[in-house]
PDB file of all heavy atoms in Angstrom:
ATOM      1  N   PRO A 701      85.690  81.530 102.422  1.00 83.00           N
ATOM      2  CA  PRO A 701      86.241  82.858 102.722  1.00 83.00           C
ATOM      3  C   PRO A 701      87.709  82.827 103.136  1.00 83.00           C
ATOM      4  O   PRO A 701      88.509  83.660 102.712  1.00 83.00           O
ATOM      5  CB  PRO A 701      85.349  83.354 103.867  1.00 83.00           C
ATOM      6  CG  PRO A 701      84.064  82.622 103.686  1.00 83.00           C
ATOM      7  CD  PRO A 701      84.450  81.280 103.183  1.00 83.00           C
ATOM      8  N   VAL A 702      88.070  81.848 103.972  1.00 83.00           N
ATOM      9  CA  VAL A 702      89.466  81.735 104.401  1.00 83.00           C
ATOM     10  C   VAL A 702      90.353  81.391 103.215  1.00 83.00           C
ATOM     11  O   VAL A 702      91.432  81.981 103.029  1.00 83.00           O
ATOM     12  CB  VAL A 702      89.602  80.673 105.508  1.00 83.00           C
ATOM     13  CG1 VAL A 702      91.070  80.430 105.839  1.00 83.00           C
ATOM     14  CG2 VAL A 702      88.855  81.115 106.758  1.00 83.00           C
ATOM     15  N   LEU A 703      89.906  80.424 102.405  1.00 85.00           N
ATOM     16  CA  LEU A 703      90.696  80.033 101.236  1.00 85.00           C
ATOM     17  C   LEU A 703      90.858  81.199 100.260  1.00 85.00           C
ATOM     18  O   LEU A 703      91.912  81.356  99.629  1.00 85.00           O
ATOM     19  CB  LEU A 703      90.038  78.840 100.531  1.00 85.00           C
ATOM     20  CG  LEU A 703      89.967  77.539 101.344  1.00 85.00           C
ATOM     21  CD1 LEU A 703      89.216  76.468 100.564  1.00 85.00           C
ATOM     22  CD2 LEU A 703      91.369  77.062 101.694  1.00 85.00           C
ATOM     23  N   LEU A 704      89.824  82.023 100.145  1.00 85.00           N
ATOM     24  CA  LEU A 704      89.896  83.179  99.255  1.00 85.00           C
ATOM     25  C   LEU A 704      90.943  84.179  99.732  1.00 85.00           C
ATOM     26  O   LEU A 704      91.750  84.671  98.934  1.00 85.00           O
ATOM     27  CB  LEU A 704      88.522  83.853  99.180  1.00 85.00           C
ATOM     28  CG  LEU A 704      88.425  85.108  98.294  1.00 85.00           C
ATOM     29  CD1 LEU A 704      88.758  84.759  96.850  1.00 85.00           C
ATOM     30  CD2 LEU A 704      87.030  85.722  98.404  1.00 85.00           C
ATOM     31  N   VAL A 705      90.942  84.459 101.019  1.00 83.00           N
ATOM     32  CA  VAL A 705      91.935  85.396 101.564  1.00 83.00           C
ATOM     33  C   VAL A 705      93.338  84.835 101.398  1.00 83.00           C
ATOM     34  O   VAL A 705      94.277  85.555 101.026  1.00 83.00           O
ATOM     35  CB  VAL A 705      91.637  85.687 103.050  1.00 83.00           C
ATOM     36  CG1 VAL A 705      92.743  86.549 103.657  1.00 83.00           C
ATOM     37  CG2 VAL A 705      90.302  86.391 103.188  1.00 83.00           C
ATOM     38  N   ILE A 706      93.501  83.526 101.676  1.00 83.00           N
ATOM     39  CA  ILE A 706      94.811  82.890 101.510  1.00 83.00           C
ATOM     40  C   ILE A 706      95.278  83.010 100.065  1.00 83.00           C
ATOM     41  O   ILE A 706      96.435  83.362  99.791  1.00 83.00           O
ATOM     42  CB  ILE A 706      94.753  81.410 101.930  1.00 83.00           C
ATOM     43  CG1 ILE A 706      94.473  81.296 103.429  1.00 83.00           C
ATOM     44  CG2 ILE A 706      96.053  80.698 101.586  1.00 83.00           C
ATOM     45  CD1 ILE A 706      94.210  79.875 103.891  1.00 83.00           C
ATOM     46  N   ALA A 707      94.372  82.706  99.122  1.00 86.00           N
ATOM     47  CA  ALA A 707      94.743  82.741  97.709  1.00 86.00           C
ATOM     48  C   ALA A 707      95.134  84.152  97.267  1.00 86.00           C
ATOM     49  O   ALA A 707      96.095  84.332  96.508  1.00 86.00           O
ATOM     50  CB  ALA A 707      93.574  82.223  96.861  1.00 86.00           C
ATOM     51  N   ILE A 708      94.409  85.148  97.751  1.00 84.00           N
ATOM     52  CA  ILE A 708      94.708  86.527  97.357  1.00 84.00           C
ATOM     53  C   ILE A 708      96.064  86.963  97.894  1.00 84.00           C
ATOM     54  O   ILE A 708      96.905  87.501  97.157  1.00 84.00           O
ATOM     55  CB  ILE A 708      93.597  87.467  97.852  1.00 84.00           C
ATOM     56  CG1 ILE A 708      92.327  87.239  97.028  1.00 84.00           C
ATOM     57  CG2 ILE A 708      94.032  88.927  97.769  1.00 84.00           C
ATOM     58  CD1 ILE A 708      91.133  87.996  97.547  1.00 84.00           C
ATOM     59  N   ILE A 709      96.305  86.728  99.182  1.00 82.00           N
ATOM     60  CA  ILE A 709      97.572  87.149  99.783  1.00 82.00           C
ATOM     61  C   ILE A 709      98.740  86.380  99.184  1.00 82.00           C
ATOM     62  O   ILE A 709      99.746  86.958  98.766  1.00 82.00           O
ATOM     63  CB  ILE A 709      97.521  86.974 101.310  1.00 82.00           C
ATOM     64  CG1 ILE A 709      96.501  87.932 101.920  1.00 82.00           C
ATOM     65  CG2 ILE A 709      98.899  87.210 101.932  1.00 82.00           C
ATOM     66  CD1 ILE A 709      96.331  87.784 103.413  1.00 82.00           C
ATOM     67  N   PHE A 710      98.589  85.060  99.108  1.00 83.00           N
ATOM     68  CA  PHE A 710      99.677  84.237  98.577  1.00 83.00           C
ATOM     69  C   PHE A 710      99.924  84.551  97.111  1.00 83.00           C
ATOM     70  O   PHE A 710     101.073  84.701  96.670  1.00 83.00           O
ATOM     71  CB  PHE A 710      99.335  82.755  98.747  1.00 83.00           C
ATOM     72  CG  PHE A 710     100.449  81.832  98.358  1.00 83.00           C
ATOM     73  CD1 PHE A 710     101.439  81.505  99.268  1.00 83.00           C
ATOM     74  CD2 PHE A 710     100.511  81.283  97.080  1.00 83.00           C
ATOM     75  CE1 PHE A 710     102.475  80.643  98.904  1.00 83.00           C
ATOM     76  CE2 PHE A 710     101.533  80.432  96.708  1.00 83.00           C
ATOM     77  CZ  PHE A 710     102.519  80.105  97.633  1.00 83.00           C
ATOM     78  N   GLY A 711      98.839  84.652  96.315  1.00 85.00           N
ATOM     79  CA  GLY A 711      98.998  84.932  94.893  1.00 85.00           C
ATOM     80  C   GLY A 711      99.630  86.286  94.630  1.00 85.00           C
ATOM     81  O   GLY A 711     100.494  86.427  93.760  1.00 85.00           O
ATOM     82  N   ALA A 712      99.220  87.300  95.403  1.00 83.00           N
ATOM     83  CA  ALA A 712      99.782  88.636  95.216  1.00 83.00           C
ATOM     84  C   ALA A 712     101.268  88.663  95.545  1.00 83.00           C
ATOM     85  O   ALA A 712     102.075  89.280  94.826  1.00 83.00           O
ATOM     86  CB  ALA A 712      99.034  89.635  96.091  1.00 83.00           C
ATOM     87  N   LEU A 713     101.658  87.989  96.629  1.00 80.00           N
ATOM     88  CA  LEU A 713     103.074  87.958  97.009  1.00 80.00           C
ATOM     89  C   LEU A 713     103.895  87.152  96.015  1.00 80.00           C
ATOM     90  O   LEU A 713     105.012  87.539  95.651  1.00 80.00           O
ATOM     91  CB  LEU A 713     103.225  87.362  98.410  1.00 80.00           C
ATOM     92  CG  LEU A 713     102.615  88.157  99.567  1.00 80.00           C
ATOM     93  CD1 LEU A 713     102.770  87.395 100.871  1.00 80.00           C
ATOM     94  CD2 LEU A 713     103.268  89.527  99.674  1.00 80.00           C
ATOM     95  N   TYR A 714     103.354  86.026  95.558  1.00 82.00           N
ATOM     96  CA  TYR A 714     104.106  85.139  94.668  1.00 82.00           C
ATOM     97  C   TYR A 714     104.325  85.764  93.295  1.00 82.00           C
ATOM     98  O   TYR A 714     105.416  85.681  92.724  1.00 82.00           O
ATOM     99  CB  TYR A 714     103.380  83.805  94.533  1.00 82.00           C
ATOM    100  CG  TYR A 714     104.151  82.786  93.740  1.00 82.00           C
ATOM    101  CD1 TYR A 714     105.224  82.110  94.322  1.00 82.00           C
ATOM    102  CD2 TYR A 714     103.820  82.491  92.425  1.00 82.00           C
ATOM    103  CE1 TYR A 714     105.939  81.175  93.597  1.00 82.00           C
ATOM    104  CE2 TYR A 714     104.533  81.551  91.696  1.00 82.00           C
ATOM    105  CZ  TYR A 714     105.591  80.888  92.284  1.00 82.00           C
ATOM    106  OH  TYR A 714     106.301  79.967  91.568  1.00 82.00           O
ATOM    107  N   THR A 715     103.289  86.400  92.765  1.00 84.00           N
ATOM    108  CA  THR A 715     103.408  86.987  91.426  1.00 84.00           C
ATOM    109  C   THR A 715     104.033  88.374  91.450  1.00 84.00           C
ATOM    110  O   THR A 715     104.439  88.883  90.409  1.00 84.00           O
ATOM    111  CB  THR A 715     102.023  87.078  90.758  1.00 84.00           C
ATOM    112  OG1 THR A 715     101.175  87.933  91.546  1.00 84.00           O
ATOM    113  CG2 THR A 715     101.404  85.697  90.631  1.00 84.00           C
ATOM    114  N   GLY A 716     104.085  88.984  92.635  1.00 80.00           N
ATOM    115  CA  GLY A 716     104.611  90.347  92.717  1.00 80.00           C
ATOM    116  C   GLY A 716     103.633  91.389  92.230  1.00 80.00           C
ATOM    117  O   GLY A 716     104.010  92.547  92.016  1.00 80.00           O
ATOM    118  N   SER A 717     102.355  91.020  92.058  1.00 82.00           N
ATOM    119  CA  SER A 717     101.362  91.959  91.543  1.00 82.00           C
ATOM    120  C   SER A 717     100.923  92.978  92.588  1.00 82.00           C
ATOM    121  O   SER A 717     100.268  93.966  92.268  1.00 82.00           O
ATOM    122  CB  SER A 717     100.135  91.191  91.037  1.00 82.00           C
ATOM    123  OG  SER A 717      99.582  90.394  92.069  1.00 82.00           O
ATOM    124  N   ALA A 718     101.254  92.743  93.846  1.00 82.00           N
ATOM    125  CA  ALA A 718     100.919  93.685  94.919  1.00 82.00           C
ATOM    126  C   ALA A 718     101.972  93.595  95.999  1.00 82.00           C
ATOM    127  O   ALA A 718     102.615  92.559  96.177  1.00 82.00           O
ATOM    128  CB  ALA A 718      99.534  93.380  95.505  1.00 82.00           C
ATOM    129  N   THR A 719     102.160  94.676  96.715  1.00 83.00           N
ATOM    130  CA  THR A 719     103.064  94.669  97.853  1.00 83.00           C
ATOM    131  C   THR A 719     102.395  93.936  99.013  1.00 83.00           C
ATOM    132  O   THR A 719     101.171  93.751  99.017  1.00 83.00           O
ATOM    133  CB  THR A 719     103.411  96.096  98.287  1.00 83.00           C
ATOM    134  OG1 THR A 719     102.214  96.727  98.788  1.00 83.00           O
ATOM    135  CG2 THR A 719     103.960  96.914  97.129  1.00 83.00           C
ATOM    136  N   PRO A 720     103.176  93.502 100.019  1.00 83.00           N
ATOM    137  CA  PRO A 720     102.545  92.870 101.184  1.00 83.00           C
ATOM    138  C   PRO A 720     101.491  93.764 101.836  1.00 83.00           C
ATOM    139  O   PRO A 720     100.451  93.268 102.290  1.00 83.00           O
ATOM    140  CB  PRO A 720     103.733  92.632 102.129  1.00 83.00           C
ATOM    141  CG  PRO A 720     104.905  92.458 101.214  1.00 83.00           C
ATOM    142  CD  PRO A 720     104.650  93.403 100.073  1.00 83.00           C
ATOM    143  N   THR A 721     101.725  95.066 101.878  1.00 84.00           N
ATOM    144  CA  THR A 721     100.746  95.983 102.475  1.00 84.00           C
ATOM    145  C   THR A 721      99.459  96.013 101.663  1.00 84.00           C
ATOM    146  O   THR A 721      98.354  95.978 102.222  1.00 84.00           O
ATOM    147  CB  THR A 721     101.335  97.397 102.573  1.00 84.00           C
ATOM    148  OG1 THR A 721     102.501  97.360 103.401  1.00 84.00           O
ATOM    149  CG2 THR A 721     100.335  98.370 103.171  1.00 84.00           C
ATOM    150  N   GLU A 722      99.586  96.063 100.344  1.00 87.00           N
ATOM    151  CA  GLU A 722      98.394  96.061  99.492  1.00 87.00           C
ATOM    152  C   GLU A 722      97.637  94.749  99.618  1.00 87.00           C
ATOM    153  O   GLU A 722      96.403  94.732  99.667  1.00 87.00           O
ATOM    154  CB  GLU A 722      98.813  96.312  98.044  1.00 87.00           C
ATOM    155  CG  GLU A 722      99.345  97.719  97.802  1.00 87.00           C
ATOM    156  CD  GLU A 722     100.049  97.849  96.467  1.00 87.00           C
ATOM    157  OE1 GLU A 722     100.359  96.810  95.840  1.00 87.00           O
ATOM    158  OE2 GLU A 722     100.314  99.002  96.054  1.00 87.00           O
ATOM    159  N   ALA A 723      98.367  93.633  99.669  1.00 84.00           N
ATOM    160  CA  ALA A 723      97.719  92.330  99.837  1.00 84.00           C
ATOM    161  C   ALA A 723      97.008  92.256 101.181  1.00 84.00           C
ATOM    162  O   ALA A 723      95.888  91.739 101.292  1.00 84.00           O
ATOM    163  CB  ALA A 723      98.753  91.209  99.716  1.00 84.00           C
ATOM    164  N   GLY A 724      97.649  92.784 102.236  1.00 83.00           N
ATOM    165  CA  GLY A 724      97.024  92.793 103.551  1.00 83.00           C
ATOM    166  C   GLY A 724      95.769  93.650 103.584  1.00 83.00           C
ATOM    167  O   GLY A 724      94.770  93.284 104.208  1.00 83.00           O
ATOM    168  N   ALA A 725      95.812  94.803 102.909  1.00 87.00           N
ATOM    169  CA  ALA A 725      94.648  95.683 102.868  1.00 87.00           C
ATOM    170  C   ALA A 725      93.483  95.013 102.147  1.00 87.00           C
ATOM    171  O   ALA A 725      92.321  95.093 102.584  1.00 87.00           O
ATOM    172  CB  ALA A 725      95.013  97.000 102.189  1.00 87.00           C
ATOM    173  N   LEU A 726      93.784  94.336 101.040  1.00 87.00           N
ATOM    174  CA  LEU A 726      92.739  93.652 100.286  1.00 87.00           C
ATOM    175  C   LEU A 726      92.152  92.501 101.104  1.00 87.00           C
ATOM    176  O   LEU A 726      90.930  92.309 101.148  1.00 87.00           O
ATOM    177  CB  LEU A 726      93.307  93.127  98.969  1.00 87.00           C
ATOM    178  CG  LEU A 726      92.305  92.497  97.987  1.00 87.00           C
ATOM    179  CD1 LEU A 726      91.191  93.476  97.647  1.00 87.00           C
ATOM    180  CD2 LEU A 726      93.020  92.048  96.722  1.00 87.00           C
ATOM    181  N   GLY A 727      93.032  91.750 101.799  1.00 85.00           N
ATOM    182  CA  GLY A 727      92.548  90.663 102.647  1.00 85.00           C
ATOM    183  C   GLY A 727      91.665  91.174 103.765  1.00 85.00           C
ATOM    184  O   GLY A 727      90.620  90.587 104.066  1.00 85.00           O
ATOM    185  N   ALA A 728      92.057  92.274 104.394  1.00 86.00           N
ATOM    186  CA  ALA A 728      91.257  92.857 105.479  1.00 86.00           C
ATOM    187  C   ALA A 728      89.907  93.323 104.968  1.00 86.00           C
ATOM    188  O   ALA A 728      88.879  93.156 105.639  1.00 86.00           O
ATOM    189  CB  ALA A 728      92.019  94.016 106.120  1.00 86.00           C
ATOM    190  N   MET A 729      89.883  93.910 103.768  1.00 88.00           N
ATOM    191  CA  MET A 729      88.629  94.389 103.195  1.00 88.00           C
ATOM    192  C   MET A 729      87.676  93.220 102.920  1.00 88.00           C
ATOM    193  O   MET A 729      86.468  93.299 103.193  1.00 88.00           O
ATOM    194  CB  MET A 729      88.895  95.151 101.899  1.00 88.00           C
ATOM    195  CG  MET A 729      87.642  95.750 101.271  1.00 88.00           C
ATOM    196  SD  MET A 729      87.968  96.539  99.685  1.00 88.00           S
ATOM    197  CE  MET A 729      88.288  95.090  98.665  1.00 88.00           C
ATOM    198  N   ILE A 730      88.222  92.113 102.413  1.00 87.00           N
ATOM    199  CA  ILE A 730      87.381  90.956 102.106  1.00 87.00           C
ATOM    200  C   ILE A 730      86.804  90.357 103.384  1.00 87.00           C
ATOM    201  O   ILE A 730      85.601  90.049 103.469  1.00 87.00           O
ATOM    202  CB  ILE A 730      88.195  89.900 101.325  1.00 87.00           C
ATOM    203  CG1 ILE A 730      88.531  90.430  99.925  1.00 87.00           C
ATOM    204  CG2 ILE A 730      87.433  88.587 101.241  1.00 87.00           C
ATOM    205  CD1 ILE A 730      89.446  89.539  99.148  1.00 87.00           C
ATOM    206  N   VAL A 731      87.643  90.202 104.410  1.00 86.00           N
ATOM    207  CA  VAL A 731      87.162  89.632 105.670  1.00 86.00           C
ATOM    208  C   VAL A 731      86.130  90.563 106.309  1.00 86.00           C
ATOM    209  O   VAL A 731      85.123  90.111 106.869  1.00 86.00           O
ATOM    210  CB  VAL A 731      88.334  89.381 106.633  1.00 86.00           C
ATOM    211  CG1 VAL A 731      87.815  88.883 107.982  1.00 86.00           C
ATOM    212  CG2 VAL A 731      89.288  88.347 106.048  1.00 86.00           C
ATOM    213  N   PHE A 732      86.348  91.862 106.209  1.00 87.00           N
ATOM    214  CA  PHE A 732      85.371  92.814 106.745  1.00 87.00           C
ATOM    215  C   PHE A 732      84.047  92.700 105.998  1.00 87.00           C
ATOM    216  O   PHE A 732      82.969  92.743 106.607  1.00 87.00           O
ATOM    217  CB  PHE A 732      85.911  94.232 106.628  1.00 87.00           C
ATOM    218  CG  PHE A 732      84.935  95.289 107.076  1.00 87.00           C
ATOM    219  CD1 PHE A 732      84.618  95.439 108.421  1.00 87.00           C
ATOM    220  CD2 PHE A 732      84.309  96.120 106.144  1.00 87.00           C
ATOM    221  CE1 PHE A 732      83.700  96.402 108.832  1.00 87.00           C
ATOM    222  CE2 PHE A 732      83.406  97.074 106.543  1.00 87.00           C
ATOM    223  CZ  PHE A 732      83.099  97.222 107.897  1.00 87.00           C
ATOM    224  N   GLY A 733      84.103  92.554 104.668  1.00 86.00           N
ATOM    225  CA  GLY A 733      82.887  92.377 103.887  1.00 86.00           C
ATOM    226  C   GLY A 733      82.127  91.126 104.297  1.00 86.00           C
ATOM    227  O   GLY A 733      80.889  91.144 104.426  1.00 86.00           O
TER     228      GLY A 733
END
């Protein structure tokens, strides 16, 4: 779970596919799930 959140946030920021806020929201949703 931790590695998944790291990969999502890092990947989104690195590729520019999501803003930091969007990446944070997705990470929070995954951890909440």
